[in-house]
Amino acid sequence: MFSKDSWDEIIEALSRNWFRTALTAFGVLWGIFILVILLAAGKGLENGVKKDFGNIATNSMFMWTQTISKPYKGLPKGRRFSYDLDDVAAIKQSMPELRFVSPRNQLGGFGGANNVVRGINTGAFNVYGDYPEYIEQQPMYITSGRFLNYGDIEARRKVAVIGEGVRNALYDKGEDFIGTYIKINGVNFMVVGTYAVVASNGDSEEEQKQIYVPFTAFSQAFNMGNDVGWMAITAKDGYSITQLKTKVFDIIKTRHSIHPEDDRAIGNFDLYEQYQKVDGLFIALKAVAYFVGILVLLSGIIGISNIMLIVVKERTKEIGIRRALGASPWSIRSQILTESVFLTLISGMAGISLGALVIYVLNKILDANGPVEMFSNPSVDLSTILIALFILISSGLLAGFIPAQNAIKVKPIDALRDE
Amino acid sequence: MIAIKDLHKSYTMGSNSLHVLKGINFSVEEGELVSIMGSSGSGKSTLLNILGMLDEADSGTYTLDGTPIKNLNEKIAARYRNKFLGFIFQSFNLINYKSALDNVGMPLYYQGMKRAERTDKAMAYLEKVGLANWAHHMPNELSGGQKQRVAIARALASDPKVLLADEPTGALDTKTSYEVMELIQGINDEGKTILVVTHEDDIAHMTKRIVNLKDGLIIDDTKINQVRAASHV
Ligand SMILES: Nc1ncnc2c1ncn2[C@@H]1O[C@H](COP(=O)(O)OP(=O)(O)O)[C@@H](O)[C@H]1O
Ligand SMILES: [Mg+2]
């Protein structure tokens, strides 16, 4: 089918009216170009938004306490409660599906009063009491020293890991800071490490203005007893925290004598659910891109089909001659189909190349101008290209089908009649 | 070589039916040069098209070189046309975007012959019709007589059993017509069976046998003494 002869025939046929061929080709080129660009833009948006989630373990939730809203077992509504370390132990013990159950406590915060002092420098920072595994739930880069470890937890060492933002605020450039002391609410902690976080949005500065100290040391220093402010809970791979969380709530409700249907007593933020929502949005966006792209492509294909019909009409006589000389219907049909597929494929490839070029230039501009919020690295992957090629070949066949049928429907005698 | 018996053909147009061939019986031996004559509309082309398997008869039998021609589908008809028949038309019917050489090579292309071999063979036939120097010219760069020569070379290329020519000189002036007839006579001299449809007396007399059609029947079928076209040139 792809001998040099049939190749010559195709080139000959298509180049005879090259301007018309080019115009026709443009329809498909445009369609596939739009498809590629839409898909790439969607991907760019997706990359941008997902980057905001950073490397956070997205299969996680945060859980805090709220006011109890239903009376239960003789206890009134409106009372408050707090988690304690026994809750953490109970959850860990009865739910092996969970990867991490990290109790957390917090002090101070954004906009609050200055709570950290070092020499003459002071600042208002979030101070967290945490367990070592927290770094796996909210990944950060240790830029010097180390993060918290279980030695710190067991010995209740008063050590602190501070953000690069905290270090900038409390220390001069080039000053030694590992091994020095900072005063948090009047209690001395020794700095053992610094961290940085990478996030695409502007919040990273804020996230680097936090201080992590061992949970046990925090409880002791600030008289928290066994209390736990809130928990960060991550499910193991293969489980979804969204499905597991009601079981966690049930354990808490039983332990704190909360009405089983009191949904307001426990507050939570489900990262996984949020992530899924965003993910769903992008699936929808992709569907829209395909829908629009394929519609445009379809109009291009109709254009090709139209032109092929005209070509067949123009070549009725020629087809008659060929058949008188011994061309089988199949050879005529395959010639028309190959022409159509070839034309579709060439123009489609041109569209893909043009799209890729535009994306390449766009990425260059994005790189040169620094990160843009919510948009990053727009791209199409190989599988999309393969899908596009498949669509092209089938549409070429589709476009050529009716013209090819027409071509063999004409009886040679009718095509050859002189009058 | 050709044997037809009781051939009928009618065309229906709307409610009217036009009975064009009303029972043709006729046979042609190998090596004959036959002209089919008759006034315009007498059914000459219809008969030739049926012989050429471009059209099918309503009833009757047709045998070509011992092969009964019936119940043809397009695929088989195409193969038979390629193998058995060479066509020469009044309006030449060259493919206008292909060179003379490529036109002559077409039947060989559909036989699946390789390009190099095809070109050699096509060139040989162009030489035979005296157009070797025009091989790479396009049809629109050739005169009418030259075009018909290319068409004859093309008809010969697949070495068919029978050449079928429908008014081969109809579009040519007298002098050129005689030149073309001279070529056809030469090909017949080499043994090829040829049928020529014409309504011109002088052309008919350059064949060896005249079959006269009238109102869908053969009214006369006589062998004649061939007038050599060369004597007119
Ligand atoms: N496809 C057709 N449909 C209807 N009538 C036809 C068709 N082909 C030929 N005819 C008619 O059949 C008659 C014979 O035609 P034709 O064989 O071409 O005659 P000739 O070649 O002898 O001039 C004419 O009257 C012509 O109008
Ligand atoms: Mg006629």
Side-chain angles (χ1 to χ4, degrees), chain A residues 413-414 417 419, chain B residues 9-13 18-21 37-49 55 166-167 197 199 213:
Chain A
I413 174 163
D414 294 324
R417 190 165 285 121
E419 294 86 338
Chain B
K9 176 77 183 176
S10 42
Y11 291 111
T12 37
M13 290 181 298
L18 184 65
H19 204 168
V20 181
L21 300 179
M37 286 200 72
S39 53
S40 182
S42 57
K44 308 182 293 292
S45 296
T46 304
L47 177 60
L48 202 74
N49 287 334
D55 204 353
D166 195 348
E167 315 238 11
V197 162
H199 61 265
L213 270 185

